[in-house]
Amino acid sequence: MHEGALMNLNEATLLNNVRLRYGRDAIYTYVANILLAVNPYKDMRQLYSSEVIKKYQGKSLGTLPPHVFAIADKAFRDMKVLKQSQSVVVSGESGAGKTESTKYILRYLCKSWGSAAGEIEARILQANPILESFGNAKTTRNNNSSRFGKFIEIHFNDRMSVVGGYISHYLLERSRIVGQSREERNYHIFYQICAGAPDSLRKQLRLSSPDHFQYTRLGCTQYFADKESKQSMNADRQSADHRKKGPLSDPNLDDAKDFARLDKALATIGLGEKQRLDIYTTVAAVLHLGNVAFEDNPEDRKGGCMVSPSSEQSLATAAALLGVDPDELNQALLARVMQTSKGGAKGTVIMVPLKTHEAHSARDALAKGIYSRLFDYIVSVINQSIPFSSSSYYIGVLDIAGFEYFTVNSFEQFCINYCNEKLQQFFNQRILRDEQELYEREGLGVKKISYVDNQDAIDLIETKGGILYLLDEESKLPRPSAVHFTQSVHSGCGGSFRLALPRKSKLRDHREIRDDEGFLVRHFAGAVCYQTDKFLEKNNDALHGSLEGLIHESRNSFLQGLFASQAATNGKAPARGKLALGSVGSKFKQQLSDLMDKLNSTGTNFIRCIKPNPKMVDRLFEGGQILSQLQCSGMTTVLQLMQQGYPSRAPFNELYAMYKKYLPKELARLDPRLFCKLLLRALGLNEHDFKFGMTKLFFRPGKFAEFDQIMKSDPENLAALVARVRKWLVVSRWKKAIWCAYSVIKLRKQDPVKGLQSTLTQMADMVSKMKKDREASAKHVQQLQVSFETVVKKIRSKPLTQPQVSRRPPGQGVGNSPERRNFGLF
Ligand SMILES: Nc1ncnc2c1ncn2[C@@H]1O[C@H](COP(=O)(O)OP(=O)(O)OP(=O)(O)O)[C@@H](O)[C@H]1O
């Protein structure tokens, strides 16, 4: 067994083993078929070189040290052998290494089986830096945190070569576009464009430094830069903070250089200069739009507001970049269109002036709407650049945020934790429920392990009458309110064990939240208290009618396209300002359901990423936090099951079918189960390491190498194993023949014959002296004498026949089971 594969499992041994290995830079460990990956927080380039890729190709899991490449290779081999698409679910908290692991898997698959795809391979690999520019940001937990989830499919044709890919994305964090906490940043692209755009482009888009823009000013305004970029960067690109404190440092990030890389990557996926400029213009428009400020209008008797005189220039620039008239933009930001539904002039359009804070919200909604549609567009362009027409199977990699809980938890955490409930249920079903049911069906006699079913938590969120439903219902009311929504959650779902009032929280901060300001959900990984004040707003990504109208009349065809494609994909025109396109929550629910369908129809591999410390430094192993990550991810329950389970298995039929082509006649006539028995015997495997079920062959944890050895479907391996079986057969026949000869020789010379004869003579003597039943007993003895003589004569005249010998082979005792009987065939 390889040291990276644990056999005696409990929380303590697992933690200790992971710690010891981490100390030796062995960041990967297997628990059954699940890969644990501890973030090393240091450059481990040698671990992922082209040579290492080659080394892992086609190698059985467990023959080489645990590695993310081994999981990718296993997924590929399972796809090929089982003829079924595969998925790899990568999970872990922010900064644990999910995205890095995902990238290594994609690289492994593309480098190993993508060379025939030519440009497609390069495009698939280029997709990541593009997605990271627009969807990643510096947070306190990760300098390069993905603020969206993704499922990346790599498609293969029937010859198992890469033919294309497809990316689905989930829940881009929209609130970040308009503000971040002090130490965090907006999406990388905003800094990359300020740091790295050529002077002419900067001038054209009126870009300066991040502290000149409201949407970046309040967070961290420093750039990531290496030594070279630090020296070459002009002062007018830098924020005051950057000048004072110097750049941020991360070996993987450099804003100026990353802009150049992004531009190149966009070109690689097929975007021309004009299209790239459209994208950069949209990014700049969002920045300028954020600088449009409002203040109360003393002349407006209806309490309306106006654009602050100091930001009129920003309004003009934003309008120019968006291709709209500045006055119209002004109008659309200051008032909301409403159609009267009652009264004499039903349907009359009226303009409702907005208060200052409402105008700010309208501006932010427009910025968020534009940016999130830009992100959708970027993903769709990537997808168009990696099309496939002849996909037979795919390997999908899911990289989505893990369970989250902070001091303040809002709609984003609610959605992400909902998603994690679904993934946990999937994990429980795949690893725990299905597994135990299978053991039972196959009669393996494995003890039952209990685990908590979280269906009630999912029901609380997604069923009719559940939290998401109540949220949508609230939005449809004439005057939706957070307080009313919260009350309806408590009154409507109060019966669920999973729901509680904030004051039931163990945390003081949460106990201070009023009953109508939030609710607490008891998730599988712990209780989280959600504050509901922004739920309604965040659940609705539709724009006010006047802003929608403005965009539709824009001269900027690119911008129009961004909004039009959304309407087109939904098949109907949006009803302005309402939840006509579906709320964010209900869309996410549908996306999750599609994702679960996909996961359920594929073979699954799990990678659990572990963050070793919150300081993001190497060589620091914080045991307590790591243990809680292992517990949260359900690993500890898996340990109990795996301790007595059989994680690797293959149906006899499939194994047999795989080998059939290579079998000589005498083996080909075997039934599949018997063939498998023979195969394992020929390989000399230990009987404790595997078990025969009703239809499948099972292997104990840690026996991947042995299992994979027989599952490797390449012709050389199959032929080599068949040769071993044949050799074993010849040897065992030879042994049997020797035994046979030996037994005959022994019988011929044996005293037992004489001994038996003298016993019979003694018996006859005794019977002749009997008074009672003498005749009958004498007859019995006589019969015995006759049959004894016949047998002795037979043995002496010819050796035992093969079936007779086979029934009693050396060291095997007398077998009565069907297999043992069948074994006599040889
Ligand atoms: N295998 C690795 N080798 C070296 N560094 C790594 C590795 N995995 C992760 N890291 C480092 O940790 C950082 C965070 O990793 P990553 O972005 O993959 O985390 P994540 O789990 O995807 O986080 P989030 O949910 O915030 O996106 C990376 O930027 C990199 O610096």
Side-chain angles (χ1 to χ4, degrees), residues 27-28 39-44 48 92-101 104 142 144-147 250 252 399 401:
I27 59 170
Y28 296 115
N39 186 342
Y41 278 122
K42 66 174 177 180
D43 193 343
M44 304 275 285
Y48 308 105
E93 63 180 56
S94 179
K98 298 180 294 294
T99 307
E100 292 301 310
S101 303
Y104 289 129
N142 182 359
N144 190 20
S145 181
S146 311
R147 309 313 299 157
D250 187 295
N252 300 319
D399 167 10

Side-chain angles (χ1 to χ4, degrees), residues 357-485:
H357 75 273
E358 289 174 331
H360 278 131
S361 299
R363 174 202 68 191
D364 289 350
L366 180 60
K368 288 191 272 191
I370 294 173
Y371 189 84
S372 58
R373 281 166 180 83
L374 176 67
F375 189 69
D376 294 343
Y377 165 80
I378 297 281
V379 177
S380 78
V381 172
I382 292 174
N383 282 335
Q384 281 161 26
S385 78
I386 47 176
F388 52 87
S389 52
S390 60
S391 162
S392 298
Y393 307 103
Y394 69 85
I395 296 178
V397 189
L398 181 68
D399 167 10
I400 203 160
F403 184 72
E404 284 186 351
Y405 56 100
F406 306 119
T407 313
V408 178
N409 300 292
S410 186
F411 187 64
E412 292 86 349
Q413 282 71 46
F414 179 75
C415 287
I416 226 35
N417 291 342
Y418 161 44
C419 166
N420 277 279
E421 288 282 2
K422 301 274 279 187
L423 290 175
Q424 184 64 22
Q425 186 182 52
F426 176 70
F427 181 77
N428 283 346
Q429 287 173 352
R430 269 290 152 100
I431 301 283
L432 301 172
R433 190 195 68 192
D434 292 1
E435 191 75 3
Q436 302 202 56
E437 282 176 6
L438 178 73
Y439 292 170
E440 218 172 292
R441 268 200 319 275
E442 292 277 334
L444 298 194
V446 173
K447 214 173 79 199
K448 258 220 150 21
I449 301 288
S450 60
Y451 61 92
V452 180
D453 181 3
N454 61 342
Q455 182 61 46
D456 54 346
I458 294 171
D459 287 346
L460 170 69
I461 298 169
E462 70 173 19
T463 50
K464 190 160 184 202
I467 297 174
L468 284 178
Y469 171 85
L470 293 173
L471 186 60
D472 283 358
E473 287 302 296
E474 185 70 33
S475 308
K476 292 177 197 157
L477 298 178
R479 284 182 192 281
S481 94
V483 166
H484 183 257
F485 159 64

